[in-house]
């Protein structure tokens, strides 16, 4: 799912034990259970309800066109054909399974409070990988709101009441550009940010490599990656096939995932295609 839904605040990096994307396992450095360091229940440090600390609507104004193309170390993370960030695929000897996380209108529509600014740029990369993988090696996931939120989700949806829509609402469908592929592949639906669990595990075994794509890098992709890696799955996040809340959140989430190498790591689309071509179906 996208950054808006549970994204890490872009500036919560100083509180040990918190939930920032650079603090493995969490989402916000200063307010446990929340998603922003300064406005509990929100998703941007300076504009509550927005998706970027610098511009209403979520687009990072310091990087024209959206998501930063380099990581803090200078690695190109968005340009197809760039060198693999870790120097190799690290694929497991079993199958390679492509998991497409939460590519839904609620995160694609620029007018949605949860819009991911780079969704349109990640979309063709995701589609090309899904076509290469085929229906038997692709799993789509969907985020949906619970019918009756409980626990900390009550306060969460008090901040985002628009999201309390039925599971079959158009906003929670797979986007039209991928609908034909999703119709032929398994679809895992969950009310949680992380999608790893029995339903997804039924399609990705401990001996497989999971190629992870989708939205948002700093929320559902990160949550899914770490849980799957903890279960023994070799996880490779395809950088340019993901999009985050903003440039900084995307880059920091990828850096957090790299900390888990060799269980989880970051690769580019060219390397992902090579993994799909050289692992068994």
């Amino acid at each position: 799912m996208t950054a808006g839904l549970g994204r890490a605040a872009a500036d919560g990096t100083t509180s040990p034990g918190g939930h920032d994307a650079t603090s493995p396992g969490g989402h916000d450095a200063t307010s446990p259970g929340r998603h922003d360091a300064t406005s509990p229940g929100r998703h941007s440090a300076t504009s509550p309800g927005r998706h970027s600390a610098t511009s209403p609507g979520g687009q990072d104004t310091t990087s024209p066109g959206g998501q930063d193309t380099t990581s803090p170390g200078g690695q190109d993370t968005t340009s197809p054909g760039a060198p693999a960030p870790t120097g190799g695929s690290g694929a497991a000897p079993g199958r390679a399974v492509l998991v497409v996380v939460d590519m839904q209108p609620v995160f694609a529509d620029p007018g949605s409070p949860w819009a991911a600014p780079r969704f349109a740029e990640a979309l063709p990369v995701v589609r090309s990988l899904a076509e290469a993988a085929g229906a038997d090696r692709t799993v789509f996931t969907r985020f949906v709101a619970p019918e009756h939120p409980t626990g900390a989700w009550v306060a969460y949806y008090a901040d985002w009441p628009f999201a309390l829509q039925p599971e079959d609402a158009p906003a929670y469908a797979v986007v039209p550009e991928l609908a034909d592929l999703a119709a032929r592949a398994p679809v895992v639906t969950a009310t949680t940010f992380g999608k790893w669990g029995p339903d997804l595990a039924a399609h990705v075994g401990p001996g497989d490599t999971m190629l992870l794509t989708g939205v948002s890098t700093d929320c559902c992709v990160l949550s899914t990656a770490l849980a799957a890696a903890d279960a023994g799955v070799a996880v490779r996040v395809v950088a340019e096939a993901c999009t985050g809340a903003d440039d900084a959140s995307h880059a920091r989430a990828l850096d957090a995932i790299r900390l888990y190498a060799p269980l989880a790591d970051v690769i580019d689309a060219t390397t992902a295609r090579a993994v799909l071509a050289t692992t068994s179906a």
Side-chain angles (χ1 to χ4, degrees):
M1 76 177 260
T2 192
L5 189 56
R7 86 172 36 104
D11 57 354
T13 60
T14 60
S15 177
H19 297 279
D20 179 19
T22 59
S23 174
H27 305 279
D28 174 19
T30 60
S31 56
R34 299 290 184 165
H35 301 270
D36 175 78
T38 59
S39 56
R42 299 295 183 176
H43 299 270
S44 168
T46 59
S47 54
R50 298 290 183 177
H51 299 272
S52 168
T54 57
S55 70
Q59 186 78 22
D60 183 353
T61 59
T62 62
S63 173
Q67 192 157 287
D68 188 359
T69 60
T70 58
S71 67
Q75 174 66 46
D76 185 344
T77 61
T78 62
S79 176
T86 56
S89 70
R95 299 189 316 149
V97 179
L98 183 76
V99 176
V100 180
V101 176
D102 301 354
M103 296 290 282
Q104 301 166 268
V106 70
F107 310 121
D109 182 357
S112 170
W114 286 350
R118 287 281 190 167
F119 192 102
E121 295 180 30
L123 180 58
V125 185
V126 172
R127 182 171 180 97
S128 69
L129 291 173
E131 290 174 339
D136 60 332
R137 290 194 295 167
T138 302
V139 182
F140 287 82
T141 77
R142 294 191 311 136
F143 176 87
V144 298
E147 184 176 358
H148 301 292
T150 59
W153 290 107
V154 174
Y156 181 83
Y157 283 105
D159 287 335
W160 303 103
F162 89 97
L164 288 173
Q165 302 180 42
E167 180 179 324
D168 60 355
Y172 287 141
V174 175
V175 291
E177 295 87 345
L178 298 173
D180 60 321
L181 300 177
R184 300 192 297 269
V187 179
V188 172
T189 299
T191 60
T192 52
F193 296 152
K195 300 306 184 294
W196 183 257
D199 290 344
L200 185 52
H203 303 285
V204 186
D208 294 340
T209 297
M210 184 168 75
L211 302 176
L212 201 55
T213 67
V215 295
S216 74
T217 322
D218 46 309
C219 183
C220 291
V221 172
L222 178 65
S223 299
T224 302
L226 300 189
D230 215 26
V233 177
V235 178
R236 298 296 175 262
V237 176
V238 187
E240 63 267 50
C242 297
T243 182
D246 50 46
D247 298 358
S249 297
H250 172 78
R252 288 166 60 195
L254 293 180
D255 283 342
I257 290 164
R258 290 184 181 103
L259 296 175
Y260 286 78
L263 292 170
D265 214 333
V266 180
I267 62 174
D268 62 22
T270 299
T271 304
R273 292 186 186 96
V275 171
L276 288 168
T278 57
T279 55
S280 58

